[in-house]
Amino acid sequence: MRMVDLIEKKRDGQAHTKEEIDFIIHGYSTDEIPDYQISAWAMAVFFQDMTQEERAFLTEAMVHSGDTIDLSAIKGIKVDKHSTGGVGDTTTLVLAPLVASLGVPVAKMSGRGLGHTGGTIDKLEAIPGFSVEITNDEFIDLVNTNKAAVIGQTQNLTPADKKLYGLRDVTATVNSIPLIASSIMSKKIASGADGIVLDVKTGAGAFMKELSQSKELAEAMVQIGNNLGRKTSAIISDMSQPLGFMIGNALEVKEAIDTLKGEGPEDLTDLCLTLGSHMVMVANKADTLEEAREMLEESINSGKALEQFKIFIESQKGDPSVVDNPEKLPQASFKESVLAEKDGFVSGIEADHIGTAAMVLGAGRATKDSVIDLAVGIELHKKIGDFVKKGESLATIYSNQKDVIDSKSKVLASYHFSSDPVSAPTLVYDIIT
Ligand code: URA
Ligand code: CA
């Protein structure tokens, strides 16, 4: 096989066979095929697309380029949840204990945050003592004993994807549905779950800003998962404004505790119940989505979910007393209010800019090597649809530096107002199974 013929084939809109895709990915992984040929091929894929079959072949080839995690020693149907990345997305902190409290094993491999989106591991590390640096065996034991555990990404998962993503980033081929879908799904499949629930974000703070694109991506990923024997469903949820009120690591732990107590923000609670119901269904623990949702609500109301959070924290060497005493979480030295400059209804909050404002405070990483400050972040007091009077507080900035002029003006500029009433945005746009 010659790579030049395969580029030509894709350029002319034909579909690859499994052998051809294996040849491309294997050749690229072993440096037998150079970057320039893969760049040309990726551009051909960008314009010519891939069939469902090709997408599944590509995903599989990337899965087999590196280590895969074997979770078969964990009893029951293991369910993973993945978000395409948002601002103030606190759902994993809530869902791991919530879903585990119903006996569904949650074996989660998570990453750190980069840019304007936060990472689950950073948030968990805001809990004093909490460690995600556990061995695979410890991880499996913890899930078997306590139903939930989170491990950092240490293994060499999908190196072909890492290499291809790096190349796509500099050849204007990131934004291709088959390439994004196979990239995300290869990582999910390599991490070993039997079932996958995807939270595909849409709107200004999301990777996919248009609903139609988000839907197309969700459908592509669900098809790949199901084609490769993983029960997969996707929720398309709003990221036109940040989720919940809190953005920042310790602040989001506090928000997760509130949500597990039944006192969390409406949007975060609703999204967790929606995603959680799908996780419970994928795990075969309920007959209908309604039943699954009632079970989750009952676990929150009875305190079972909160108790499970304490068990989860303690089992990973964290201090579970933060649940009853959240003031033990890292606290920022300075608090500053962002005040409204006029009366009006909030008509928009640019989630990506709020994320950047939090990053500038130190809550996120500008580069992979940045050191983050777990205590800092932003608490929103007003969301889309709320009426605000001039001089009222829109948000509080938590910081460890006195001068927060930059973040303050970014937060203020992120808010848009209307003199006419505005309704809150739809939270869940679509569900794809
Ligand atoms: N995120 C991924 O992991 N891969 C892509 O291709 C795009 C976003
Ligand atoms: Ca939040």
Side-chain angles (χ1 to χ4, degrees), residues 178-371:
L179 296 180
I180 300 169
S182 56
S183 166
I184 294 175
M185 291 306 287
S186 68
K187 286 174 274 207
K188 290 292 106 186
I189 287 169
S191 24
D194 307 306
I196 301 158
V197 175
L198 300 161
D199 180 13
V200 180
K201 306 285 189 188
T202 194
F207 184 65
M208 289 287 174
K209 313 224 180 280
E210 299 295 327
L211 180 58
S212 60
Q213 270 195 321
S214 307
K215 213 170 148 172
E216 210 186 317
L217 177 63
E219 280 165 355
M221 292 195 289
V222 168
Q223 274 157 1
I224 290 173
N226 290 333
N227 280 340
L228 296 180
R230 305 302 203 280
K231 209 163 151 189
T232 308
S233 50
I235 276 94
I236 298 177
S237 73
D238 182 61
M239 194 31 77
S240 63
Q241 63 178 345
L243 189 63
F245 297 118
M246 304 291 203
I247 301 103
N249 300 287
L251 293 171
E252 289 185 58
V253 173
K254 168 77 170 56
E255 183 164 66
I257 295 167
D258 290 344
T259 306
L260 288 164
K261 280 183 183 163
E263 297 162 5
E266 214 175 299
D267 58 352
L268 176 62
T269 303
D270 191 8
L271 184 60
C272 288
L273 290 171
T274 305
L275 289 165
S277 315
H278 283 269
M279 291 170 78
V280 171
M281 284 296 282
V282 165
N284 278 340
K285 292 274 183 188
D287 294 324
T288 63
L289 281 170
E290 293 69 31
E291 187 192 343
R293 197 176 176 104
E294 276 167 24
M295 288 160 68
L296 294 167
E297 281 169 339
E298 167 57 23
S299 179
I300 291 176
N301 294 337
S302 69
K304 209 165 104 185
L306 197 65
E307 203 49 43
Q308 186 77 42
F309 195 36
K310 292 182 188 167
I311 295 169
F312 167 63
I313 292 172
E314 192 160 22
S315 74
Q316 297 203 221
K317 304 195 173 69
D319 177 2
S321 72
V322 298
V323 172
D324 296 318
N325 305 289
E327 68 282 358
K328 288 187 174 179
L329 291 164
Q331 302 287 319
S333 316
F334 303 100
K335 275 192 215 179
E336 179 116 5
S337 295
V338 181
L339 306 180
E341 291 179 336
K342 56 185 170 203
D343 290 4
F345 294 90
V346 178
S347 59
I349 308 173
E350 292 172 73
D352 45 351
H353 294 166
I354 296 279
T356 307
M359 185 186 76
V360 168
L361 289 168
R365 289 185 184 78
T367 72
K368 255 197 303 217
D369 302 318
S370 316
V371 176

Side-chain angles (χ1 to χ4, degrees), residues 133-148:
E133 272 144 39
I134 51 179
T135 66
N136 267 4
D137 287 346
E138 284 172 316
F139 178 58
I140 286 169
D141 280 350
L142 285 180
V143 183
N144 272 330
T145 324
N146 299 321
K147 293 294 170 213

